[in-house]
Amino acid sequence: MKFNLSKFNLSYLWAILIAIAIIGWMFSDELFRSSENNISEENSSLNTNANKNEGLIVRALKVKNTTINNEVRSNGYTEPEFEITLSSEIGGKISEINIVEGSSIKKDSVILEIDTGTLKQRIEAAKRKIKASEASLKANEKSLEISKKVLEGTLEQEIKAAKATLKLADKNLSIALNLAKNNFSSELEIARYTSEFENAKVRLAIIENQQNYNSELDLERNMASLESAKYDLENSKVILANLKKDLSNSKLVSPVSGKLENLFFDKGELISANSAVANILGLEKIKLIVKIPQSEIMSIELGNTVSITLDNGEKHGGVVNKISSIANQSTRTFDVEILIDNKSGLLKGGMTGEAVISTNIAKAFAISPAHLIVSDNGDLFVKIVKDDKVFMQRVSLIKSIEDKVYISGLEDNSILLTVGQGFVSENEIVNYKLESEL
């Protein structure tokens, strides 16, 4: 028995095609219905998301401000509290050095001594000169006193005597003239009495003029001698004082306590007057100089407390000691000087570190810095909720501590959006849940 394979295969092919067509017709209604439902759901979801993220719940915090100190931060460098350069008042050879360079020094300590030579002998000579000047002054004072007495006393007596002599001569002349009228007196007697009278007049005039002149001249001379003696005495005192000062200045004494940082001469060297001899640093307190921008300088006051962290990790406390009144022309910043106790002596000049200056008290709320939004111009914002809608609230950064920042500008009981706030926009309705309720 023979079979026709080509006919057999063709009939099977048609049967399979007819079966597929019947099955497709049976499921076609379900396929079209499902497609319509999917399109409808997608349109519904888009419409819903346009109005409200019903499936998104953003975490939130209820704001409760606390009182904290506002802070200003800046980096700076340390300096000694003071630096003094000592100079020698006199010149000479250094005879002794009493303190080693680099060691601590107390106030009034003698650093070095300068050879005085014959200075002590010159001081003794000046003392003797003063005694001689004092004796000369006393002698001149006595002479002046005598001159005054002569001028006031003997002149008067001599004038009285001269007047009496003149009066007697006048009387004798009158008698002689009367006797001559009766020829009882000769011409020779009249001439003699006339001469005596004229001589008495001249004598009185000489006494009145010459004696007064001599006494006044002696008085003026004695007064000049007295003033010269006074000058000599005062000049001798000045010379003695200068010599004593030179003796005192032969020892270079420290005016303060500190550290003898540099000594510029060795024993036996010659130095001239006004030469810089030593350099002393004040290290019991150290200054930290920081630069503060003009936007923050107004909040800093003298006496503000400061927390300092040096670059080596050491922490110290200090206070604001000085605020510059003039800004740096290049940086437009103000130098602020912070004083740090350094009784241990471990702090040195030229060290660097950060200063955190506690300024005015402010109300602030702590959040993660991840929740802050920075605008293009550098302003800070956070997202809060009002009437179930998102609002952007501007805030100010007060200070940062490790993983938190303190911000001001939020009212108590405000709702601050945290985790998920990046998925919602301003004026959008938002679902939130307080973190304390999770």
Side-chain angles (χ1 to χ4, degrees):
M1 187 177 187
K2 294 182 179 180
F3 293 95
N4 190 336
L5 291 175
S6 60
K7 289 183 179 180
F8 175 81
N9 290 336
L10 184 60
S11 61
Y12 269 96
L13 180 60
W14 279 105
I16 291 171
L17 290 173
I18 292 170
I20 290 172
I22 293 171
I23 294 171
W25 174 79
M26 292 175 62
F27 287 95
S28 63
D29 187 51
E30 284 291 12
L31 287 172
F32 286 120
R33 187 180 294 114
S34 175
S35 177
E36 290 176 357
N37 288 340
N38 288 337
I39 293 171
S40 177
E41 287 177 1
E42 289 179 2
N43 290 335
S44 176
S45 176
L46 290 173
N47 291 334
T48 300
N49 287 335
N51 297 315
K52 185 175 181 181
N53 287 307
E54 293 182 350
L56 176 64
I57 298 177
V58 180
R59 293 187 180 185
L61 293 172
K62 182 175 284 189
V63 175
K64 185 177 181 180
N65 289 299
T66 57
T67 300
I68 63 169
N69 287 324
N70 198 355
E71 294 180 347
V72 175
R73 293 174 175 266
S74 182
N75 293 322
Y77 58 92
T78 58
E79 288 183 353
E81 183 183 8
F82 60 82
E83 182 174 356
I84 298 176
T85 298
L86 299 182
S87 299
S88 175
E89 295 281 345
I90 63 172
K93 181 190 289 187
I94 297 176
S95 58
E96 293 292 339
I97 292 180
N98 302 317
I99 299 177
V100 179
E101 184 180 67
S103 60
S104 296
I105 188 171
K106 296 294 184 182
K107 182 179 179 181
D108 297 328
S109 298
V110 178
I111 300 173
L112 57 80
E113 299 178 32
I114 299 172
D115 185 18
T116 57
T118 61
L119 187 58
K120 291 182 180 179
Q121 289 78 8
R122 290 158 60 196
I123 289 175
E124 289 301 318
K127 289 180 179 179
R128 293 180 182 276
K129 176 63 176 175
I130 288 176
K131 288 182 179 180
S133 296
E134 289 174 343
S136 177
L137 179 62
K138 287 181 181 179
N140 280 277
E141 287 174 343
K142 188 67 175 178
S143 296
L144 180 63
E145 184 180 354
I146 293 171
S147 296
K148 288 180 178 179
K149 287 182 178 179
V150 168
L151 182 63
E152 295 173 358
T154 60
L155 177 63
E156 184 178 354
Q157 299 299 325
E158 290 182 11
I159 289 174
K160 285 181 179 180
K163 286 181 177 181
T165 301
L166 178 62
K167 186 176 181 181
L168 178 61
D170 183 43
K171 189 173 182 179
N172 289 333
L173 178 61
S174 297
I175 293 171
L177 290 173
N178 289 329
L179 290 175
K181 291 178 180 179
N182 297 317
N183 295 318
F184 292 113
S185 177
S186 64
E187 292 183 0
L188 182 60
E189 289 178 338
I190 292 173
R192 180 169 61 85
Y193 288 128
T194 300
S195 175
E196 289 177 354
F197 175 74
E198 293 297 330
N199 286 334
K201 286 174 63 176
V202 171
R203 177 63 179 167
L204 178 60
I206 290 173
I207 291 173
E208 287 179 338
N209 293 321
Q210 185 65 35
Q211 180 65 30
N212 186 55
Y213 170 77
N214 290 336
S215 297
E216 288 183 357
L217 183 60
D218 288 343
L219 181 62
E220 290 296 328
R221 286 173 178 171
N222 286 329
M223 290 179 65
S225 297
L226 179 63
E227 291 301 319
S228 178
K230 287 181 179 179
Y231 167 79
D232 288 341
L233 178 59
E234 293 302 320
N235 188 51
S236 298
K237 288 180 179 180
V238 170
I239 292 173
L240 178 60
N242 287 334
L243 291 173
K244 286 183 175 180
K245 184 179 178 182
D246 287 346
L247 182 62
S248 175
N249 289 333
S250 66
K251 296 181 179 181
L252 186 67
V253 177
S254 174
V256 293
S257 297
K259 181 181 179 182
L260 183 60
E261 184 71 6
N262 299 110
L263 192 58
F264 305 127
F265 292 91
D266 293 323
K267 182 177 179 180
E269 286 191 273
L270 289 173
I271 61 174
S272 57
N274 300 319
S275 296
V277 176
N279 193 29
I280 299 176
L281 303 181
L283 297 175
E284 288 190 1
K285 293 183 182 293
I286 286 287
K287 297 186 296 187
L288 180 70
I289 311 299
V290 296
K291 299 185 180 298
I292 304 299
Q294 54 187 335
S295 60
E296 296 178 310
I297 192 64
M298 296 298 292
S299 63
I300 298 176
E301 298 177 352
L302 295 177
N304 284 153
T305 58
V306 186
S307 297
I308 300 156
T309 304
L310 298 178
D311 288 351
N312 61 8
E314 290 186 7
K315 296 184 181 296
H316 299 271
V319 294
V320 174
N321 184 59
K322 181 181 177 182
I323 302 172
S324 176
S325 300
I326 302 176
N328 183 289
Q329 294 296 323
S330 301
T331 62
R332 309 308 304 172
T333 58
F334 293 82
D335 285 351
V336 172
E337 181 182 295
I338 300 163
L339 210 55
I340 311 168
D341 283 329
N342 186 35
K343 293 180 180 179
S344 64
L346 297 177
L347 298 180
K348 312 295 182 184
M351 301 177 76
T352 55
E354 182 188 43
V356 181
I357 305 173
S358 298
T359 58
N360 56 301
I361 296 175
K363 288 187 175 182
F365 183 64
I367 64 171
S368 168
H371 305 325
L372 290 174
I373 302 166
V374 183
S375 67
D376 293 337
N377 60 4
D379 292 332
L380 298 178
F381 292 86
V382 293
K383 291 179 181 177
I384 63 171
V385 179
K386 289 183 179 180
D387 300 326
D388 293 333
K389 288 186 177 181
V390 179
F391 283 88
M392 299 284 285
Q393 178 67 44
R394 184 174 178 176
V395 294
S396 297
L397 180 64
I398 301 300
K399 68 176 181 179
S400 61
I401 300 177
E402 296 179 352
D403 59 344
K404 291 183 179 181
V405 292
Y406 284 85
I407 58 173
S408 64
L410 297 177
E411 296 181 358
D412 285 339
N413 298 319
S414 298
I415 303 301
L416 171 69
L417 297 179
T418 58
V419 180
Q421 54 89 15
F423 295 100
V424 292
S425 303
E426 191 172 16
N427 293 321
E428 186 177 344
I429 296 174
V430 62
N431 288 328
Y432 68 88
K433 193 162 188 176
L434 296 175
E435 293 185 7
S436 59
E437 298 176 356
L438 295 176

